[in-house]
């Protein structure tokens, strides 16, 4: 899609992502642009500051009627009548940590929201005036308008969309003073794209959308269910925004009314809890590393449920409509909806490559999914599918490497049994939180801040990171887990190739195994109290 803007200021089920969003130059001469901007500044002379938040003393109705810019004229009329509603139209926006940098810091993917600063403003097609102040020199601040309401050109086969399943957006660079932007491709809700490597050092940016249409948004820290209902009932755009402490949702107003009317706080609280539990397992709570950034859950009209670089997405139309599952506060923490959300967000939280080497693409994320779903009292999916017995029959009895089992749920069993053991025996209840923190420390000197896809790749030889997992698990737990890992083929010597979102070549030598086992033996650790491979939910 085209990204046209005038930026002048005179004076002050799989991870799928294909976003079409390119840039073109507006066909407006510099003389015309300069004249238009100059005219706006002339109109602003009636206001106390160029942010048009108040009129100069002595301003009369006759002066106001001479204002040429229609938006500023309406603002001035309302200010004179003491009736201007500045809520949402005027606000300060803080910087958030860049999602790429967050990914590098936590060694995860870059799936945290790129639409953090919700404005609550709706922009229809056409030109709009945006007044800005406090952008530091050298800082980049953008106005972003995503097309949340985008449909595939062929409704009968929405997965085959030439624009992909990702977020299509129009983006406009902002600068201090007057900004005139023009939406040509689609209307939408506005967001202030303001990210920084050091957000704590960045000052808040002040933005005014003069006389803009307001859609509003719900903030669990500030609003109640009456506000939620009002937001739904008065939405001027089909989609509404809401945020909690850890979650940001972008869902159709009609579905929110149908499935969650009067229950906004409960819905957002449940989502917050879903994300918080993953933070807890990931060790972010224990080690005080919970990000200010949010996970984004949005509606899409291409595919039932998936995760991409913009978060998680749920189908908003039939066939495969998922809104009844994910908007209902009761259902989102039960059964398939709880699993689906936890599974997709688990993809965001996979540590690369320390716990996401080749073969764990659909495995390590499900450690999060099992942990969250079980903590809400749901039945274990691996129990219902009899994966404990299947894994024993397929892996242990056949003496193969767990990676040679094509069933990702069978591969999951040894990793989940570790959680069951340390949770039940109480020897190391924070096993996974401590393990994840140990991996982050191991990778502290390996980060590549310039990499735009999150932290690291998934390793050239999975066997290397597999042995590192074994050794680190023993170090963290202070238990010699050699026999357990032996049962599931973590020490399998040999070579084989397989596919896991890419081609991987497993190559384990006897020397590699001997070295790892010797290092574990040197730790002089005690053995587990029982056979961990026999544990079930």
């Amino acid at each position: 899609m085209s990204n046209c803007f005038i930026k002048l200021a005179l004076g002050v089920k799989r991870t799928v992502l294909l976003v079409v969003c390119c840039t073109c130059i507006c066909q407006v001469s510099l003389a015309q642009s300069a004249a238009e901007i100059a005219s706006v500044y002339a109109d602003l002379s009636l206001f106390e500051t160029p942010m048009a938040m108040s009129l100069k003393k002595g301003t009369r109705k006759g002066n106001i009627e001479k204002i040429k810019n229609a938006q500023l004229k309406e603002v001035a009329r309302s200010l004179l009548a003491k009736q201007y509603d500045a809520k949402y139209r005027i606000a300060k926006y803080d910087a958030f940590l860049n999602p790429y940098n967050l990914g590098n810091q936590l060694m995860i993917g870059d799936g945290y929201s790129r639409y953090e600063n919700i404005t609550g403003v709706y922009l229809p097609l056409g030109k709009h005036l945006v007044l800005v102040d406090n952008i530091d020199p050298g800082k980049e601040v953008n106005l972003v308008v995503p097309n949340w309401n985008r449909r595939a050109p062929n409704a009968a086969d929405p997965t085959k969309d030439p624009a992909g399943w990702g977020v299509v957006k129009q983006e406009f660079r902002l600068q201090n003073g007057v900004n005139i932007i023009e939406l040509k491709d689609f209307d939408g809700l506005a967001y202030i794209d303001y990210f920084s490597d050091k957000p704590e050092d960045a000052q808040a940016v002040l933005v005014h959308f003069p006389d803009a249409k307001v859609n509003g948004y719900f903030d669990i820290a500030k609003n109640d269910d009456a506000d939620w209902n009002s937001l739904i009932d008065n939405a001027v755009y089909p989609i509404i925004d809401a945020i909690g402490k850890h979650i940001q949702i972008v869902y159709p107003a009609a579905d929110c009314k149908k499935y969650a009317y009067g229950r906004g706080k409960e819905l957002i609280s449940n989502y917050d809890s879903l994300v918080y539990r993953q933070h807890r397992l990931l060790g972010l709570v224990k080690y005080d590393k919970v990000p200010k950034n949010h996970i984004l859950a949005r509606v899409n009209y291409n595919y039932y449920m998936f995760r991409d670089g913009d978060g998680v997405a749920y189908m908003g139309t039939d066939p495969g409509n998922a809104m009844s599952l994910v908007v209902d506060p009761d259902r989102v923490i039960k059964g398939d909806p709880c699993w689906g959300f936890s599974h997709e967000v688990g993809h965001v939280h996979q540590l690369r490559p320390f716990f996401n080497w080749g073969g764990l693409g659909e495995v390590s994320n499900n450690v999060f999914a099992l942990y969250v779903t079980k903590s809400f009292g749901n039945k274990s999916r691996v129990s219902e599918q009899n994966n404990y017995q299947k894994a024993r029959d397929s892996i242990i009895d056949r003496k193969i490497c767990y990676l040679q089992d094509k069933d990702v749920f069978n591969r999951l069993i040894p990793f989940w049994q570790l959680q069951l053991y340390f949770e039940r025996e109480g020897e190391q209840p924070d096993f996974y939180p401590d393990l994840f923190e140990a991996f982050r420390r191991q990778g502290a000197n390996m980060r590549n801040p310039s990499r735009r896809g999150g932290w690291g790749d998934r390793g050239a030889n999975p066997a290397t990171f597999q042995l590192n997992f074994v050794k680190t698990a023993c170090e963290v737990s202070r238990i010699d887990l050699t026999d357990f890992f032996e049962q599931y083929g973590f020490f399998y010597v040999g070579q084989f190739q397989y596919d896991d979102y890419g081609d991987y070549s497993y190559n384990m030598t006897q020397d590699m195994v001997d070295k790892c086992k010797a290092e574990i033996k040197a730790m002089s650790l005690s053995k587990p109290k029982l056979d961990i491979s026999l544990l079930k939910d």
Side-chain angles (χ1 to χ4, degrees):
M1 308 302 291
S2 62
N3 171 9
C4 303
F5 61 90
I6 306 172
K7 48 172 186 173
L8 294 169
L10 305 181
V12 245
K13 176 161 174 180
R14 288 284 195 266
T15 303
V16 181
L17 175 61
L18 175 57
V19 179
V20 176
C21 185
C22 52
T23 304
C24 68
I25 304 300
C26 285
Q27 300 302 310
V28 181
S29 73
L30 290 177
Q32 289 174 319
S33 300
E36 190 173 18
I37 296 293
S39 176
V40 171
Y41 274 106
D43 292 339
L44 286 170
S45 64
L46 289 179
F47 297 86
E48 286 189 323
T49 73
M51 291 301 292
M53 297 166 66
S54 58
L55 292 169
K56 287 181 177 177
K57 291 183 179 179
T59 300
R60 300 181 179 278
K61 186 176 181 180
N63 305 124
I64 292 173
E65 294 309 312
K66 294 178 182 179
I67 293 177
K68 294 180 180 179
N69 182 275
Q71 290 170 277
L72 285 179
K73 183 180 287 187
E74 286 304 314
V75 172
R77 286 171 175 169
S78 297
L79 286 172
L80 187 65
K82 302 186 186 309
Q83 295 179 346
Y84 187 59
D85 187 356
K87 186 177 182 181
Y88 299 115
R89 295 186 175 110
I90 302 176
K92 289 184 177 180
Y93 300 94
D94 293 320
F96 280 80
L97 180 62
N98 188 304
Y100 301 124
N101 287 17
L102 176 62
N104 277 302
Q105 285 185 12
L106 300 182
M107 294 171 53
I108 60 176
D110 59 354
Y112 274 77
S113 176
R114 292 171 172 79
Y115 310 93
E116 289 283 5
N117 278 310
I118 305 169
T119 68
V121 166
Y122 162 68
L123 298 177
L125 291 171
K127 289 186 178 182
H128 302 279
L129 176 62
V130 184
L131 306 175
V132 182
D133 195 16
N134 289 344
I135 298 179
D136 287 326
K139 294 291 185 182
E140 180 177 327
V141 179
N142 300 302
L143 171 65
V144 179
V145 181
N147 189 3
W148 300 129
N149 208 32
R150 179 175 70 91
R151 265 51 169 196
N154 182 4
D157 196 359
T159 62
K160 295 179 180 178
D161 188 338
W165 303 349
V167 179
V168 174
K169 58 189 175 184
Q170 297 175 85
E171 191 167 0
F172 311 89
R173 179 70 60 83
L174 297 176
Q175 58 186 36
N176 289 324
V178 172
N179 299 263
I180 298 177
I181 62 109
E182 184 174 10
L183 296 184
K184 289 187 175 182
D185 298 310
F186 49 80
D187 60 345
L189 302 175
Y191 303 80
I192 302 300
D193 183 304
Y194 184 24
F195 295 101
S196 173
D197 296 344
K198 296 182 178 180
E200 64 278 4
D201 297 334
Q203 66 175 339
V205 172
L206 180 64
V207 181
H208 184 187
F209 295 91
D211 196 43
K213 293 182 181 295
V214 170
N215 203 59
Y217 65 91
F218 180 85
D219 184 343
I220 196 172
K222 302 175 182 178
N223 302 123
D224 56 25
D225 284 332
D227 298 321
W228 169 260
N229 290 349
S230 178
L231 170 68
I232 293 171
D233 292 336
N234 297 293
V236 296
Y237 185 69
I239 311 295
I240 61 171
D241 289 301
I243 58 169
K245 187 174 183 180
H246 309 298
I247 191 69
Q248 174 185 359
I249 66 169
V250 181
Y251 287 159
D255 290 305
C256 290
K257 184 163 189 172
K258 184 175 182 179
Y259 301 111
Y261 200 66
R263 302 177 69 186
K265 287 185 73 71
E266 184 181 0
L267 176 64
I268 301 304
S269 178
N270 284 350
Y271 268 117
D272 271 346
S273 187
L274 285 162
V275 179
Y276 171 81
R277 291 166 198 236
Q278 293 211 9
H279 287 164
R280 186 169 63 196
L281 188 67
L282 196 56
L284 303 184
V285 175
K286 180 175 182 177
Y287 292 97
D288 195 24
K289 294 182 178 180
V290 175
K292 178 183 176 184
N293 301 53
H294 299 77
I295 291 287
L296 173 69
R298 71 183 192 273
V299 66
N300 89 99
Y301 297 96
N302 293 102
Y303 190 71
Y304 176 64
M305 188 181 297
F306 63 93
R307 175 256 164 171
D308 62 9
D310 286 302
V312 297
Y314 302 104
M315 192 78 166
T317 55
D318 290 326
N321 194 329
M323 288 296 105
S324 64
L325 304 178
V326 299
V327 179
D328 185 326
D330 293 327
R331 300 186 74 180
V332 77
I333 57 174
K334 299 295 183 183
D336 285 344
C338 184
W339 177 273
F341 180 84
S342 303
H343 170 96
E344 302 300 349
V345 174
H347 276 304
V348 177
H349 287 146
Q350 286 173 299
L351 265 71
R352 305 179 184 179
F354 292 90
F355 196 21
N356 190 20
W357 56 84
L360 298 192
E362 294 293 340
V363 176
S364 56
N365 63 314
N366 281 336
V367 173
F368 292 102
L370 274 171
Y371 178 80
V372 173
T373 55
K374 286 288 292 176
S375 69
F376 275 108
N378 294 285
K379 292 182 179 179
S380 164
R381 179 164 290 198
V382 291
S383 289
E384 292 184 318
Q385 296 174 168
N386 198 29
N387 290 111
Y388 290 106
Q389 188 60 48
K390 289 178 181 177
R392 175 165 290 278
D393 294 342
S394 174
I395 302 171
I396 295 178
D397 290 350
R398 293 168 58 210
K399 300 186 185 303
I400 65 171
C401 174
Y402 70 100
L403 289 173
Q404 293 172 298
D405 191 315
K406 293 183 179 181
D407 189 328
V408 295
F409 288 100
N410 290 347
R411 292 184 213 163
L412 171 63
I413 293 302
F415 299 105
W416 183 242
Q417 285 178 326
L418 289 172
Q419 170 65 19
L420 294 178
Y421 177 74
F422 290 111
E423 182 179 66
R424 292 178 184 178
E425 293 303 316
E427 295 183 46
Q428 187 70 9
D430 288 339
F431 170 71
Y432 269 116
D434 291 342
L435 184 65
F436 284 128
E437 179 63 13
F439 288 147
R440 285 189 288 268
R441 290 173 180 170
Q442 287 176 8
N445 297 321
M446 299 170 60
R447 294 190 180 99
N448 182 1
S450 65
R451 191 178 188 278
R452 292 181 60 83
W455 195 94
D457 57 27
R458 299 175 67 198
N461 181 10
T464 301
F465 295 99
Q466 181 173 294
L467 291 180
N468 183 70
F469 182 92
V470 170
K471 179 184 173 183
T472 309
C474 294
E475 288 176 332
V476 165
S477 67
R478 305 307 301 166
I479 299 291
D480 185 344
L481 300 166
T482 303
D483 296 338
F484 170 72
F485 286 118
E486 187 84 69
Q487 289 175 289
Y488 281 103
F490 279 71
F491 298 115
Y492 181 88
V493 175
Q495 298 180 359
F496 56 87
Q497 294 182 326
Y498 56 97
D499 175 74
D500 183 44
Y501 298 109
D503 295 326
Y504 288 90
S505 296
Y506 175 97
N507 184 11
M508 181 79 79
T509 67
Q510 189 62 51
D511 286 344
M512 294 167 64
V513 171
D514 292 344
K515 181 175 183 294
C516 180
K517 287 184 175 180
E519 290 173 342
I520 295 172
K521 185 176 182 180
M523 299 179 197
S524 300
L525 305 174
S526 60
K527 294 286 186 177
K529 296 178 180 179
L530 49 82
D531 185 349
I532 299 175
S533 73
L534 297 176
L535 293 179
K536 299 180 181 180
D537 291 286

